[in-house]
Amino acid sequence: MYLMLSLLVAAGVTLFVVSKIAKMLLAKRPGLEWVTFASIVSALIALVTYLTLNIYVSGLEPMVMLSITFTAMIVFSSIAFKVINQMGWGAAIATNVANVVIFIATSVAAVVINGESLNKVISSISHSARSNTVMVNSMVNGSNNIIKTPEMGIPEEEMHEDDTSEPMTTELELLPEDVIEGELQAKIKEKQKTIAVAPKYQKQQKHQQKYQVVNIDNIKSLIGRSLKIHTNQGRVIVGQLQQINGSDAMLYRRVNGGTAVTPVEFSSIKKLEVYR
């Protein structure tokens, strides 16, 4: 509650300062109400620009994509200040940049004053933005109509790693404890006679042979393949690479018995493995 009020105060301070900047830059409509209206329209234009670029532009390097996205958002959103506040292009872009910078500074101050974790807030906003982009992208490309099954190329043992099942009661469990112990000992001895247990290192080697470490630069050629991604935060994400969305790898994976799309930033990938 206090954080929201602090952010509203930060927005109010930003709009007041930007209105003064617009007046100094000879805007014909420097009033607070016009600056507020222009800021709202500018934010909407920036959001549409961001979603459009991330949906329709792909295959670029992360830094190139970031530069193009940031530049396009600033230029297109500055149209709102130029038209609504009636000012030149240079003044509109300067006012727009000042609006963004001052709001970020005041918002950071509001978060810090309220004792919130700045990294946590930024991470939450970033995750929300990526999730919304994925949802819009799925709606545009019709990805929601795809049914994910083990035949998609994800190893079956990986597909069912999150499945849960009801516990079953066997006839052995209904017997007295001394009888159960005798039965178990007999089965253990029988298995020791007939089954050759593989050494532990052989099992590990067999599991490791399923995946092969590849360079992150080759991830664009792995669309449709099953990947195992190790992140810098220690997470291990397994799924099928469906597409590259800007600087994110879009993985379809099993979660709690269902399927979901998970965006993974290239910069967060520590090690990349592909299923043979």
Side-chain angles (χ1 to χ4, degrees), residues 109-262:
V111 171
V112 173
I113 290 174
N114 282 274
E116 297 288 339
S117 172
L118 186 60
N119 291 334
K120 184 177 180 181
V121 173
I122 295 175
S123 177
S124 176
I125 295 174
S126 177
H127 177 73
S128 177
R130 289 199 302 271
S131 299
N132 291 331
T133 302
V134 170
M135 181 180 66
V136 174
N137 192 9
S138 299
M139 293 174 61
V140 172
N141 297 324
S143 297
N144 289 331
N145 296 326
I146 300 176
I147 301 176
K148 285 66 183 187
T149 63
E151 288 74 19
M152 290 183 64
I154 302 176
E156 188 170 352
E157 62 270 22
E158 302 289 354
M159 289 288 292
H160 295 283
E161 63 181 1
D162 295 325
D163 291 347
T164 57
S165 58
E166 292 291 334
M168 298 180 63
T169 302
T170 63
E171 294 181 0
L172 184 60
E173 294 175 348
L174 300 177
L175 298 175
E177 292 185 2
D178 55 344
V179 178
I180 292 176
E181 184 176 356
E183 291 287 342
L184 291 176
Q185 292 294 334
K187 288 186 176 181
I188 291 174
K189 291 181 180 180
E190 183 179 355
K191 288 183 178 180
Q192 289 176 345
K193 294 179 181 179
T194 58
I195 299 176
V197 180
K200 184 176 180 181
Y201 74 91
Q202 290 183 355
K203 293 182 179 180
Q204 293 176 347
Q205 186 178 23
K206 181 179 178 182
H207 177 72
Q208 291 173 355
Q209 287 176 350
K210 294 180 180 179
Y211 285 92
Q212 179 182 3
V213 178
V214 295
N215 194 305
I216 182 64
D217 296 333
N218 300 326
I219 191 171
K220 295 176 183 177
S221 64
L222 301 177
I223 294 178
R225 301 287 298 276
S226 176
L227 304 181
K228 178 183 288 187
I229 294 178
H230 301 258
T231 68
N232 295 324
Q233 293 77 29
R235 295 180 58 199
V236 178
I237 305 173
V238 177
Q240 184 194 46
L241 180 61
Q242 188 69 13
Q243 62 177 343
I244 302 297
N245 186 8
S247 60
D248 291 339
M250 314 305 298
L251 295 182
Y252 281 104
R253 52 194 292 265
R254 286 295 296 264
V255 178
N256 296 327
T259 57
V261 62
T262 301

Side-chain angles (χ1 to χ4, degrees), residues 36-84:
T36 302
F37 181 42
S39 298
I40 295 174
V41 175
S42 174
L44 293 175
I45 294 175
L47 177 61
V48 172
T49 303
Y50 173 80
L51 293 175
T52 302
L53 288 175
N54 277 272
I55 291 173
Y56 294 106
V57 179
S58 60
L60 297 178
E61 295 296 327
M63 291 304 300
V64 176
M65 185 64 185
L66 179 63
S67 300
I68 293 175
T69 302
F70 180 77
T71 303
M73 289 174 65
I74 290 295
V75 172
F76 286 115
S77 60
S78 297
I79 296 175
F81 288 94
K82 174 176 173 57
V83 175
I84 296 174

